[in-house]
Amino acid sequence: GEGEGRLRVEEEEDDHEVRLVMEGAGCRYGIRLDALLVGHEDWITGLAWRPHGYPDVGKKRQSLALLSCSMDRSLIIWRPEGARGAWTPRVRLGDLGADLGGAVGGNLLGFLGCVFSETGDRVLAHGFGGSFHAY
């Protein structure tokens, strides 16, 4: 309606940044960057939080973890580290270091999406070419 703003997402291909822009309503918003995930070499195409509540070996609950997948043909599991909570890559999965020619059924074009299993102990990703990868 009248006086309401409109939120728009802008992407910059040169620097791989995404910006949120508020149009109208005379409002100004600030966005705080909580974490910068440095580890992929191409676009991040999917993110998923690990479900809470299922036990790790020797622990009552699983620790907080984030899964990312990318067009660089990799998946990374991130966890916060130290008092400052900086997110660091703990596990890397995918076609790391594979030849660009790829094998039959390989993942030449990268991943489009990823998810943790319901129990948080497995990962499923789907590739650009329609393949599924379970880890």
Side-chain angles (χ1 to χ4, degrees):
E2 192 92 11
E4 291 181 13
R6 183 175 177 174
L7 189 62
R8 185 180 78 230
V9 178
E10 293 180 350
E11 296 181 51
E12 291 291 329
E13 289 185 29
D14 295 340
D15 57 10
H16 293 238
E17 287 186 12
V18 176
R19 294 175 187 81
L20 297 177
V21 177
M22 186 67 161
E23 297 175 335
C27 296
R28 190 172 212 175
Y29 291 92
I31 297 173
R32 183 178 152 278
L33 181 64
D34 186 55
L36 180 61
L37 304 177
V38 178
H40 286 292
E41 295 177 10
D42 207 335
W43 290 97
I44 293 176
T45 53
L47 293 169
W49 290 104
R50 179 161 68 177
H52 263 334
Y54 293 93
D56 271 342
V57 176
K59 294 183 181 179
K60 289 185 178 181
R61 294 176 65 91
Q62 290 178 337
S63 57
L64 189 61
L66 180 66
L67 172 67
S68 63
C69 62
S70 171
M71 291 303 285
D72 68 4
R73 303 179 309 162
S74 71
L75 296 109
I76 299 177
I77 297 176
W78 306 83
R79 290 193 185 162
E81 183 177 291
R84 295 181 61 200
W87 288 82
T88 58
R90 297 294 180 92
V91 178
R92 291 180 180 270
L93 305 165
D95 295 335
L96 304 173
D99 292 331
L100 284 179
V104 174
N107 191 32
L108 180 60
L109 299 174
F111 293 105
L112 286 181
C114 56
V115 66
F116 279 103
S117 67
E118 186 177 90
T119 56
D121 61 347
R122 297 185 51 94
V123 170
L124 178 67
H126 63 92
F128 186 83
S131 59
F132 284 96
H133 302 259
Y135 300 95

